[in-house]
Amino acid sequence: MATVIQADESQESRTTPPPARTGRADRVRHPAALIRLVAGVCWILLVLLLAGYARSSVFGLDSDVARGVDLLPWPPAKLTAALCGTALLTVPLGFAVDRVLRGDGRRVADAVLAAVLAYGLTLGLDLLAGDLTTLTHPLPAGLGRTDPVYGHFAPVLAFMTALGTAGRRRWRTALAVTLTLSGLSGLVTGYATPLSLLLALLLGWTTAHAARYAVGEPVASPAEGQIATALAGTGVRPDAVLTLGTGRYLVTQHGGGPDLDVHLLDRYAQASGLLGHLWLALRLRTAPRPLGLRPLRAGLEHQTLLGHAASAAGARTRLPVAVVELGPDAALVAYRRLDARPFAELFAELPEPPEPPGEGLPDGPTDGPTDAELRDAWQQLALLQRRRIAHRSLSPNTVLLDAEGRVHLVGLARGEIAASELLLRLDVAGLLAVLAVHAGPERAVRAAIEVLGPGPVGTALPLLQPIALARDTRAALARHRSLAADLRAEVQRRMPQAPAEPVRLERLRPRVLLTVVAGIAAGYALLQFLFSLDTNPVNLVTGADPLWLAGAAFWAAASYPVATFAFSGFVPEKLSFRSTLAAQTAGSFVKVASPGGVGGLALNTRYLQCAGIPTAQAMSSIGVSQLFGLVLHMLQLAVFSALVGVNSAEFGSGSSPLPKGWVLGLAGAVGAVAAVSVAAVPRLRRRAQTLLRPLRAEVLPRLLDLAQHPGKLAGGVAGQLMVSMCFVLCLYCCTRAVGQYPGFNAVAVGFLAGNAAGNVVPTPGGVGGVEGLMSFMLATTGHIDNAGALAAVMLFRILTFMLPVLPGWAAFAWLQRRRAI
């Protein structure tokens, strides 16, 4: 439902009416139809899963229903089926004729399209689900089986739902009775099963909403003559109707009656901004219920009730004087017109020292509201709060000022009666932000304390959060980055005892949702990859040697405290061991959603920032740790590769599969030539200096700081080496657990090479690259068969990549609750 906002109207617009809008019909895609479409698809999939995997339960349900209908007194089957089939076709046909006679032919055409789509989907589902015997049973005559989707239920329900039965009780009752009798007839005659009936109803309902969202719903904007005729039946004496904008009209009356500001509430107004309100309702615990999900009549009654309640409280607002329905999909609300304009149009957002106000309303933004106007705004809110009425939408466009300097609070469509204390405090925070935008934090807070007292203002301090404010207010604060902080500081300055810790209003943060979705997607992709292999992960775990499997699990678990010591060794500042251990454990969760260890780096950087370490120093510590890790990793790979090359004859191969000495020498020569070339060419040298400047400016000074703590630095280096050894020992135990006997050096080379691939392959956790290269290197250097190497690597990945995801998620959530990340 559209937010009620008083439009600016100059003298010229009063004398020269704008062009009248005709009764042209537009279309609108209502997000509620999309939501119902998604819900319907989920229910259809659930029924199909039930039919595929709960076969015994479904067969039992079919048998119970068959025994139950046998006990019902029922007319002859053929006569009953004929009567029900006739009624099933007569009801939609009669409804279509009624709609055509009422001039709703476009909806009828849309309903026919929905019925055709439902019939086509029914035939397609009959072909696809024909093998699911739980959806069918043998025909009474014994010739074949029934259809998975029963009869014409889906097309009829799709037709009626797309045509719209809201507000038409007789047709809805007729449809419900007809579908019920037809369903019972199908069960009694043996041509339907319970799941086939349910699937037909779900398919018809879902297809109807799919068609409504795909082609849109026709919305006819009423002509000005229709509006005048409708208002005349409520006691209004319309003289002229002028269109002010989309869904807004100015109505003048005979005999000098007050002008009326008329708002049109229709499907377009309900759909406007609904997705944004749904997202806000998902994130915010205190978000108002999206008006687009309410029936039109319920929203109309709510808006009218709020207007009368606010007027009865003594607050200045728009008073509804007439309400009239134009049909089940449109209504008019007429308010007494206010000669007032919003703060957003009257005042600049960055006020200068105020000047004496002039007469009347100026044409452009002025310096700012006076102190008397600020106090009046707070007095109007105090009147609402005394009756426990929450506004919920305070913004620069809903706080109005008239020519006499009186403040009006409008836009109560999202308000609430008998509001909770939290909602009332949110209104105080909202008005503080609105007035601070136009009058500055000091004047806004001073006026609030003068009217409300220090108590309500102090309790609103924890709620001064952008997410708790109206969208227009958030946009205004975003244009002045320091204004929100200045407002909080001003409240704290005047009331040092006020609680400053923000109240958590979010039930779901975007980054948490993104992390969960990415983690689920990555986990699903990993499971699909693993179960597509010949080596089943479940069989790997159950068939492994229990002693070696326990050893592998021990070394996998030991890698986390060892990684904690390694990480802390490169941070000169003192860190909490428990929180640091949780951060390293949480890294096993975030890495499933980010390639190349990027998620772990970001998590550790954020952890150091929240621990009070400046960003530059935190990133430098991470850089030093990564630099040492890279050097140590390459040294370990070189050492173990050399050991494998020395001992390669014991495997019977006679030569090492690793690169020959002349290959390594050639690679070193190429690297030396490249380094000399970079140093000799000025352009390349400047480019290299630019790339290495962060290393020289940040990492090296941090390394010098670490050099003053040799004990911590030695612990960090030893920890880096031990982390690698923990994983090597884990992989070695995995190979023994699956019955393979490679050498320890070969296992070390396999892990170190595979882990390097994990940082290169752009997949979450290096999925695919790690398994491929690690199993290849393990089979080649360890002289074991490919199947055994793959089984060992899969078991290793289960222990080090899949199983730690759940404890990693728990650690991630724990750190978030403690605001440690």
Side-chain angles (χ1 to χ4, degrees):
M1 201 169 292
T3 303
V4 182
I5 299 175
Q6 178 70 41
D8 182 15
E9 185 182 348
S10 64
Q11 184 66 26
E12 181 180 357
S13 64
R14 289 177 178 268
T15 57
T16 305
R21 187 170 60 173
T22 63
R24 177 180 57 85
D26 296 326
R27 288 185 175 270
V28 58
R29 288 183 173 87
H30 203 294
L34 178 61
I35 297 173
R36 296 186 178 101
L37 166 62
V38 174
V41 171
C42 293
W43 278 108
I44 291 174
L45 294 177
L46 183 61
V47 171
L48 293 177
L49 288 174
L50 181 66
Y53 294 98
R55 304 175 66 87
S56 299
S57 300
V58 174
F59 281 131
L61 175 64
D62 193 14
S63 301
D64 293 341
V65 171
R67 285 194 297 267
V69 297
D70 288 340
L71 302 177
L72 295 176
W74 201 256
K78 292 185 178 180
L79 177 61
T80 303
L83 292 177
C84 291
T86 303
L88 198 61
L89 296 178
T90 302
V91 171
L93 181 61
F95 192 36
V97 172
D98 177 72
R99 291 293 89 201
V100 170
L101 294 178
R102 295 177 183 271
D104 211 0
R106 299 189 69 181
R107 283 188 179 271
V108 175
D110 295 343
V112 171
L113 173 63
V116 172
L117 290 176
Y119 184 70
L121 291 176
T122 299
L123 296 179
L125 196 56
D126 285 340
L127 295 176
L128 295 175
D131 295 335
L132 290 176
T133 56
T134 49
L135 295 175
T136 63
H137 58 211
L139 288 170
L143 302 175
R145 302 182 67 87
T146 59
D147 294 329
V149 183
Y150 177 66
H152 301 290
F153 264 37
V156 170
L157 185 58
F159 180 87
M160 296 292 287
T161 304
L163 192 50
T165 58
R168 301 177 178 94
R169 184 175 301 176
R170 293 182 179 179
W171 289 108
R172 295 179 65 178
T173 303
L175 176 63
V177 171
T178 302
L179 291 177
T180 302
L181 293 177
S182 298
L184 288 176
S185 173
L187 293 175
V188 169
T189 56
Y191 284 90
T193 65
L195 285 188
S196 68
L197 290 174
L198 179 60
L199 197 58
L201 294 175
L202 289 174
L203 187 62
W205 186 79
T206 305
T207 306
H209 290 294
R212 293 177 75 169
Y213 189 77
V215 302
E217 302 178 42
V219 179
S221 300
E224 296 170 353
Q226 293 176 299
I227 295 175
T229 303
L231 291 176
T234 63
V236 177
R237 303 175 61 190
D239 179 33
V241 179
L242 305 178
T243 303
L244 298 179
T246 302
R248 294 210 41 233
Y249 307 89
L250 172 64
V251 176
T252 58
Q253 299 190 71
H254 290 290
D259 294 345
L260 302 180
D261 195 358
V262 179
H263 294 261
L264 173 66
L265 305 179
D266 57 4
R267 303 290 290 177
Y268 180 84
Q270 285 187 306
S272 179
L274 180 58
L275 290 179
H277 294 306
L278 286 174
W279 171 239
L280 185 63
L282 180 65
R283 291 184 56 196
L284 190 63
R285 294 189 293 110
T286 58
R289 179 185 176 186
L291 299 179
L293 297 184
R294 295 176 178 174
L296 184 66
R297 185 172 185 82
L300 184 67
E301 293 173 350
H302 181 79
Q303 185 170 343
T304 306
L305 177 62
L306 260 296
H308 285 291
S311 298
R316 288 190 290 270
T317 187
R318 286 196 180 95
L319 179 64
V321 297
V323 179
V324 58
E325 285 187 321
L326 299 179
D329 297 326
L332 295 174
V333 182
Y335 298 93
R336 188 183 298 272
R337 184 169 179 79
L338 296 177
D339 190 13
R341 288 165 56 187
F343 271 32
E345 298 179 6
L346 288 173
F347 306 119
E349 290 185 0
L350 294 176
E352 300 293 335
E355 297 177 359
E359 297 295 332
L361 295 176
D363 292 333
T366 61
D367 295 331
T370 63
D371 291 339
E373 292 166 351
L374 295 177
R375 288 192 295 270
D376 190 30
W378 286 112
Q379 288 168 358
Q380 298 307 305
L381 182 63
L383 291 173
L384 292 179
Q385 300 219 331
R386 191 173 301 149
R387 296 292 183 91
R388 304 199 69 83
I389 300 174
H391 190 287
R392 309 299 307 274
S393 301
L394 287 169
S395 72
N397 288 314
T398 57
V399 181
L400 275 60
L401 184 67
D402 61 18
E404 300 178 3
R406 297 179 303 179
V407 175
H408 304 256
L409 302 180
V410 300
L412 283 163
R414 301 185 184 278
E416 290 190 21
I417 298 177
S420 65
E421 191 66 31
L422 178 61
L423 297 183
L424 299 180
R425 292 163 57 194
L426 283 171
D427 275 354
V428 176
L431 191 57
L432 274 174
V434 171
L435 299 183
V437 168
H438 300 288
E442 182 178 355
R443 297 178 59 207
V445 174
R446 182 174 68 244
I449 294 176
E450 291 175 359
V451 176
L452 300 180
V457 180
T459 57
L461 177 60
L463 301 174
L464 282 171
Q465 308 174 38
I467 192 173
L469 305 176
R471 181 175 57 182
D472 293 338
T473 308
R474 292 199 304 268
L477 288 178
R479 290 190 288 269
H480 310 288
R481 299 184 181 275
S482 63
L483 186 58
D486 294 342
L487 180 59
R488 292 179 58 87
E490 179 64 22
V491 176
Q492 287 183 298
R493 186 182 69 83
R494 290 180 174 271
M495 285 162 289
Q497 73 282 4
E501 184 68 19
V503 175
R504 181 171 180 179
L505 301 175
E506 289 180 288
R507 62 162 59 96
L508 183 64
R509 297 181 179 179
R511 64 173 183 175
V512 176
L513 179 62
L514 180 62
T515 302
V516 171
V517 172
I520 293 174
Y524 178 78
L526 178 62
L527 289 176
Q528 290 290 102
F529 170 75
L530 292 178
F531 281 95
S532 65
L533 300 172
D534 296 334
T535 306
N536 192 303
V538 177
N539 295 334
L540 283 178
V541 176
T542 57
D545 184 279
L547 293 179
W548 285 108
L549 180 61
F554 170 79
W555 288 114
S559 65
Y560 291 99
V562 172
T564 303
F565 285 110
F567 179 78
S568 302
F570 293 98
V571 182
E573 294 80 5
K574 184 177 179 56
L575 297 175
S576 168
F577 179 80
R578 183 176 61 173
S579 298
T580 308
L581 176 61
Q584 305 312 304
T585 306
S588 61
F589 169 66
V590 299
K591 71 180 180 181
V592 301
S594 58
V598 176
L601 295 179
L603 177 67
N604 287 328
T605 303
R606 178 62 180 169
Y607 168 69
L608 292 180
Q609 290 174 332
C610 294
I613 300 175
T615 303
Q617 298 179 14
M619 297 184 66
S620 298
S621 293
I622 300 296
V624 171
S625 174
Q626 292 297 307
L627 179 62
F628 269 84
L630 176 62
V631 173
L632 294 175
H633 190 92
M634 299 305 297
L635 288 176
Q636 286 176 297
L637 182 59
V639 170
F640 283 109
S641 298
L643 293 177
V644 170
V646 170
N647 300 325
S648 60
E650 67 179 283
F651 300 113
S653 59
S655 61
S656 173
L658 299 174
K660 305 294 183 180
W662 67 268
V663 176
L664 297 177
L666 179 61
V670 171
V673 171
V676 171
S677 301
V678 169
V681 179
R683 183 175 180 180
L684 295 178
R685 185 171 62 251
R686 288 192 298 269
R687 179 63 177 171
Q689 291 174 349
T690 302
L691 295 175
L692 295 176
R693 185 177 297 117
L695 178 66
R696 184 179 67 253
E698 300 176 2
V699 176
L700 293 181
R702 191 66 165 173
L703 187 57
L704 295 177
D705 292 340
L706 286 171
Q708 300 177 10
H709 303 80
K712 295 202 70 173
L713 183 59
V717 173
Q720 291 275 15
L721 293 172
M722 286 304 300
V723 168
S724 298
M725 287 300 99
C726 286
F727 285 118
V728 170
L729 289 169
C730 178
L731 181 58
Y732 181 77
C733 292
C734 289
T735 59
R736 299 300 299 270
V738 297
Q740 303 297 320
Y741 302 93
F744 183 82
N745 297 332
V747 173
V749 172
F751 165 75
L752 294 170
N755 191 54
N759 293 324
V760 176
V761 178
T763 57
V767 173
V770 171
E771 293 80 6
L773 183 57
M774 193 177 292
S775 59
F776 171 76
M777 294 298 297
L778 190 59
T780 305
T781 60
H783 197 66
I784 60 178
D785 59 275
N786 294 328
L790 181 60
V793 170
M794 289 297 102
L795 184 58
F796 171 78
R797 292 288 278 175
I798 290 173
L799 294 175
T800 60
F801 182 64
M802 295 180 61
L803 293 182
V805 171
L806 185 58
W809 173 80
F812 188 87
W814 183 78
L815 290 171
Q816 280 193 319
R817 287 195 302 270
R818 294 176 58 88
R819 301 184 182 277
I821 57 174

